[in-house]
Amino acid sequence: MYRLIFSLVFRPMDAERAHHLSFSALRILDRIPLLGRLLRLVVARGTSAPVEVLGLPFPNRVGLAAGFDKNGVGIRALSALGFGHIEVGTITAHAQPGNERPRLFRLLRNRALLNRMGFNNDGARQASFNITAQRRALTALPARQRPIIGVNIGKTKVVPAAEAVADYVASTRELAPLADYLVINVSSPNTPGLRDLQSVASLEPIITAVKEAAAEVVATPRSTLGHVPLLVKIAPDLSDEDVVDICDLAVRTGADGLIVTNTTIDRDVLTGPEAEFARSQAGGISGRPLAPRSLEVLLLVAATVSGELTIVSVGGIGDGNDVDARLAAGADLVQVYSEMIYSGPFWPGRIIRSGGRTRLLTRGTGGA
């Protein structure tokens, strides 16, 4: 049914408009009591596989990556799809419109997306109001159905690199009290100069400042770790040497984990005419073509940190077997996004209930 709807309704439509339409429809359904309850009963059936990671009680190990809900307006509705955690953002200290449209493209033959959104969001202050409202709405659900809420923060585009630390701190002060965990995003290719902040010299003061700011504004964190867990999201295009350096930095500075990986700027992961189209466009690629490099980075990170950090794997996950593979390779949590555009709202529940569910239930609790 979803394939038919996708072909007839969404495929002819601009990708960004289709996203807003489907997301709005999901939020409306969730607000109608009987329909919202039916949605959870049918779509999220059998997705409970509780696990403790980062000192937090995750309903299961599969979550929604940042980028889908940029402003934290639909956390409760998205949880109806069975996700164990929802990562909102990327949120910047100041509201910004993002890049000019069109800025999101489907690469159908490759089961991929190309985006150059540019951190379009309403800013940290408005996001704090949105997330507060969503947390209130979640209290109406049984505890086992409430997702862990991650908040992904990035640098405001107009803020110069020299002021990046203060910009991340401003977002932290607004959002850390509402976050189960925080993510520092220095790996999007769509904000000029952002990926330069992945260098050890630039990243270390950001991690340190964000940790200190979170500790100042959150007296009673939700995590049993005793602080708001902090993760760093890295790019797949880093050299192996740079990945190892970031792992060492994360351990040294007391970060709690890494998210591997963000979108890629490597067009060689694509095949056919879509590869030529992508070479003519700016932006990062996500979806199935990212899977090989994302898995490579995961294996490298797992071998480097040896259980000292929590690892979240994202990029190219298509089914329950992929979830199995990422967990077997050392991931504590898995995140998805692009495949849901092609496979629909029933897909997250399917991969949790499929072959991946056994490992979701049996694997030990995550570290850090």
Side-chain angles (χ1 to χ4, degrees), residues 318-329:
D319 56 29
N321 290 330
D322 292 332
V323 173
D324 268 348
R326 301 302 174 91
L327 295 174

Side-chain angles (χ1 to χ4, degrees), residues 291-303:
R293 180 54 183 167
S294 184
L295 182 57
E296 284 180 1
V297 177
L298 167 61
L299 289 166
L300 177 59
V301 169

Side-chain angles (χ1 to χ4, degrees), residues 103-165:
R103 54 193 180 182
L104 179 64
F105 306 89
R106 304 183 198 93
L107 306 176
L108 295 168
R109 292 183 180 274
N110 285 269
R111 301 284 282 196
L113 298 175
L114 187 154
N115 93 82
R116 50 170 178 266
M117 303 299 287
F119 289 171
N120 55 304
N121 75 104
D122 295 335
R125 183 69 170 166
Q126 181 60 51
S128 70
F129 298 144
N130 298 340
I131 299 170
T132 297
Q134 288 295 298
R135 282 200 172 276
R136 281 199 300 267
L138 285 169
T139 60
L141 300 178
R144 67 181 184 280
Q145 295 182 10
R146 298 174 198 167
I148 295 298
I149 301 173
V151 178
N152 184 304
I153 57 175
K155 186 183 78 67
T156 307
K157 183 176 181 179
V158 298
V159 170
E163 299 172 21
V165 172

Side-chain angles (χ1 to χ4, degrees), residues 154-182:
K155 186 183 78 67
T156 307
K157 183 176 181 179
V158 298
V159 170
E163 299 172 21
V165 172
D167 194 60
Y168 278 97
V169 166
S171 294
T172 302
R173 291 187 177 280
E174 289 283 359
L175 298 168
L178 298 164
D180 290 318
Y181 70 86
L182 278 173

Side-chain angles (χ1 to χ4, degrees), residues 32-106:
I32 301 172
L34 290 178
L35 288 179
R37 194 173 306 161
L38 180 62
L39 180 70
R40 289 178 186 277
L41 181 65
V42 174
V43 179
R45 172 183 52 84
T47 58
S48 180
V51 62
E52 182 175 309
V53 181
L54 294 166
L56 297 164
F58 285 76
N60 61 62
R61 292 187 188 268
V62 178
L64 180 63
F68 196 98
D69 186 357
K70 292 179 176 293
N71 293 300
V73 295
I75 298 169
R76 176 182 148 135
L78 288 164
S79 73
L81 304 186
F83 292 115
H85 66 282
I86 312 289
E87 190 171 306
V88 301
T90 296
I91 300 166
T92 54
H94 305 284
Q96 56 185 31
N99 295 320
E100 291 184 5
R101 299 187 185 193
R103 54 193 180 182
L104 179 64
F105 306 89
R106 304 183 198 93

